[in-house]
């Protein structure tokens, strides 16, 4: 099968030299086919067109190569839709409806290399997908061999399922529904533990519209807030990045306010993590700036978030860290020196804190 062939050729699926590897693989296949049947006529055509047809995917390439030995057409002229149809028949037709649904949701996640945990109501179906070697498990997280396989499965479904066009306008709408239903499938458990990975990977892959639509969705919103307000979060940076992502992709003011209130203002875990952090002042300043440019009432709320004693704790820690750092090597953090940040915040809040360092 595909996986065995990839292992046989010792292919690095993340390699950048797809075109160079493609030439070698095609030549080896051509020699093999001709050695087994010298009477067949086998033509390659344009290697560049083959790369384009395969969408630079080794998984799709091997499906083309299997079809090639029985085709009278050059490799580059084999119809992509034929490949999708055969892939669909091979992988989907043998599955039950619940296994089918499960595979679609997991594939939609792994398009963006989002590791996942089994849906609570689909443990048996997930095990079946493992047995079929469609997915694999590493360190208690489930994955595909590569995102290219997930993409091939999705494209095969989109192209061949007779109900797709009735329900969805396009592939993006389909992916949104699959990821939303995956997240909502954990409502009985409050949240899936890969929420942070979903948000980060969509952001990293520049899927801003998809991410914005998910974060604005009322059903998803509650589950996401549950996750970031939970003890699952051990690093305050995760919460700060989450709020910043909302601002960058321009979720609605209502959405940002909902997350800010539930994940920060009414979340004791956030305050505790921020006060413990070595970057507490940097993060405090960064959040203030993000909220300030939103031009809503969240900025004023956050100014009153910490008590005077808690603010002193943040500022004193920053002064000491900045002083010791300058004594050692003069390094500054990415936001500028902590002393500069403190003076900026003094100006904003009108604070006067008597801190003296000998």
């Amino acid at each position: 099968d595909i996986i065995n062939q990839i292992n046989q050729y010792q292919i690095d699926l993340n390699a950048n030299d797809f075109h160079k590897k493609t030439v070698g693989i095609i030549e080896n296949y051509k020699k093999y086919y001709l050695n087994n049947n010298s009477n067949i006529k086998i033509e390659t055509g344009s290697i560049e067109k083959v790369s384009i047809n395969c969408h630079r995917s080794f998984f799709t390439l091997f499906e083309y190569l299997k079809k090639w030995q029985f085709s009278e057409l050059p490799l580059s002229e084999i119809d992509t839709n034929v490949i999708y149809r055969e892939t669909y028949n091979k992988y989907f037709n043998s599955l039950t409806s619940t296994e089918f649904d499960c595979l679609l949701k997991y594939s939609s996640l792994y398009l963006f290399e989002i590791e996942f945990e089994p849906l609570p109501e689909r443990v048996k179906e997930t095990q079946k997908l493992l047995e079929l070697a469609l997915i694999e498990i590493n360190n208690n997280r489930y994955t595909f061999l590569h995102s290219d396989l997930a993409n091939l499965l999705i494209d095969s479904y989109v192209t061949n399922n007779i109900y797709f066009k009735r329900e969805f306008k396009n592939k993006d709408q389909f992916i949104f529904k699959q990821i939303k239903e995956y997240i909502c499938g954990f409502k009985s458990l409050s949240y899936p533990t890969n929420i942070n990975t979903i948000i980060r990977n969509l952001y990293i892959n520049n899927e801003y519209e998809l991410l914005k639509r998910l974060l604005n969705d009322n059903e998803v919103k509650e589950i996401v807030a549950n996750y970031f307000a939970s003890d699952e979060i051990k690093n305050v940076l995760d919460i700060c990045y989450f709020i910043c992502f909302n601002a960058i992709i321009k979720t609605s003011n209502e959405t940002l306010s909902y997350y800010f209130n539930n994940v920060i203002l009414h979340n004791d875990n956030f305050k505790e993590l921020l006060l413990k952090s070595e970057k507490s002042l940097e993060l405090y300043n960064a959040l203030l700036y993000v909220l300030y440019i939103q031009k809503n009432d969240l900025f004023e709320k956050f100014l009153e978030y910490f008590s005077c004693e808690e603010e002193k704790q943040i500022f004193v820690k920053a002064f000491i860290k900045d002083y010791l750092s300058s004594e050692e090597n003069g390094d500054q953090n990415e936001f500028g020196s902590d002393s500069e940040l403190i003076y900026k915040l003094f100006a904003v809040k009108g604070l006067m804190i008597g801190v003296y360092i000998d």
Side-chain angles (χ1 to χ4, degrees), residues 341-353:
L341 294 180
I342 292 168
Y343 296 141
K344 290 175 185 175
L345 286 171
F346 282 174
V348 169
K349 296 181 67 84
L351 292 169
M352 291 298 292
I353 300 176

Side-chain angles (χ1 to χ4, degrees), residues 7-266:
N7 291 334
Q8 175 188 345
Y9 284 95
Q10 297 182 316
I11 293 172
D12 176 6
L13 293 173
N14 297 308
N16 294 320
D17 54 346
F18 179 87
H19 183 80
K20 181 180 177 182
K21 287 184 178 291
T22 298
V23 172
I25 293 169
I26 290 173
E27 283 304 310
N28 284 336
Y29 261 77
K30 187 173 183 179
K31 288 176 185 177
Y32 173 78
Y33 291 150
L34 291 173
N35 285 339
N36 283 287
N37 187 352
S38 59
N39 294 322
I40 64 170
K41 182 181 180 183
I42 188 163
E43 298 180 25
T44 304
S46 167
I47 296 291
E48 186 61 36
K49 188 173 181 181
V50 172
S51 295
I52 293 170
N53 289 345
C54 292
H55 304 291
R56 299 182 62 79
S57 163
F58 287 114
F59 287 94
T60 308
L61 172 62
F62 280 116
E63 294 294 342
Y64 266 91
L65 292 171
K66 285 191 291 184
K67 185 70 178 174
W68 189 26
Q69 64 178 313
F70 305 111
S71 175
E72 296 180 356
L73 296 171
L75 180 62
S76 61
E77 300 306 315
I78 296 175
D79 188 355
T80 305
N81 288 329
V82 173
I83 302 302
Y84 288 154
R85 183 170 63 250
E86 293 190 354
T87 302
Y88 182 85
N89 292 337
K90 175 181 177 182
Y91 291 107
F92 287 103
N93 282 350
S94 62
L95 302 177
T96 66
S97 60
T98 51
E99 291 165 354
F100 192 112
D101 180 69
C102 200
L103 181 59
L104 289 177
K105 286 176 174 47
Y106 296 160
S107 298
S108 298
L109 289 167
Y110 213 73
L111 275 176
F112 311 105
E113 298 185 346
I114 298 168
E115 297 178 344
F116 49 92
E117 59 180 313
L119 284 156
E121 304 298 324
R122 294 287 183 266
V123 175
K124 183 177 71 173
E125 289 82 356
T126 303
Q127 183 59 37
K128 177 65 177 296
L129 298 179
L130 273 172
E131 292 169 3
L132 293 172
L134 286 169
I135 61 175
E136 54 188 29
I137 184 167
N138 295 299
N139 299 320
N140 296 320
R141 284 293 188 185
Y142 291 75
T143 67
F144 287 75
L145 181 62
H146 195 272
S147 57
D148 282 348
L149 175 56
N151 195 43
L152 175 59
L153 292 170
I154 293 294
D155 284 341
S156 298
Y157 172 82
V158 167
T159 307
N160 290 280
N161 187 270
I162 59 174
Y163 302 113
F164 179 82
K165 290 185 179 178
R166 297 188 200 177
E167 187 174 358
F168 304 103
K169 292 180 181 179
N170 51 49
K171 182 177 174 180
D172 291 343
Q173 191 181 62
F174 166 77
I175 297 298
F176 166 77
K177 183 185 178 189
Q178 299 306 312
I179 297 180
K180 174 184 172 178
E181 289 183 351
Y182 173 83
I183 293 171
C184 293
F186 287 84
K187 191 168 185 178
S188 62
L189 300 176
S190 292
Y191 52 80
T193 57
N194 63 342
I195 283 286
N196 201 24
T197 307
I198 291 173
I199 292 171
R200 278 177 173 269
N201 283 30
L202 290 179
Y203 183 82
I204 289 168
N205 281 280
N206 299 317
E207 292 289 338
Y208 299 153
E209 287 305 313
L210 173 56
L211 181 55
K212 179 163 69 173
R213 192 175 174 192
L214 282 169
L215 293 179
N216 279 330
D217 184 90
N218 287 330
E219 291 180 80
V220 173
K221 200 185 292 183
E222 179 184 353
I223 296 170
V224 170
N226 286 343
Y227 172 79
F228 281 103
S230 74
D231 292 337
E232 194 86 30
I233 303 297
K234 307 298 182 186
N235 189 339
V236 69
L237 280 168
D238 291 334
I239 296 176
C240 295
Y241 284 142
F242 171 65
I243 295 299
C244 290
F245 289 161
N246 272 272
I248 292 168
I249 65 174
K250 295 182 172 61
T251 53
S252 69
N253 284 334
E254 179 187 358
T255 294
L256 182 59
S257 180
Y258 177 87
Y259 287 132
F260 185 79
N261 280 292
N262 286 278
V263 174
I264 291 184
L265 291 187
H266 302 136

Side-chain angles (χ1 to χ4, degrees), residues 289-320:
Y289 177 73
V290 166
L291 297 174
Y292 177 76
I293 62 176
Q294 298 306 303
K295 300 190 183 304
N296 55 36
D297 63 344
L298 299 180
F299 176 75
E300 296 296 333
K301 286 183 179 180
F302 197 50
L303 283 177
E304 305 302 322
Y305 178 63
F306 291 105
S307 68
C308 191
E309 286 302 312
E310 288 167 340
E311 286 173 337
K312 286 180 182 179
Q313 181 181 336
I314 292 173
F315 296 159
V316 168
K317 183 195 295 183
F319 261 128
I320 294 172

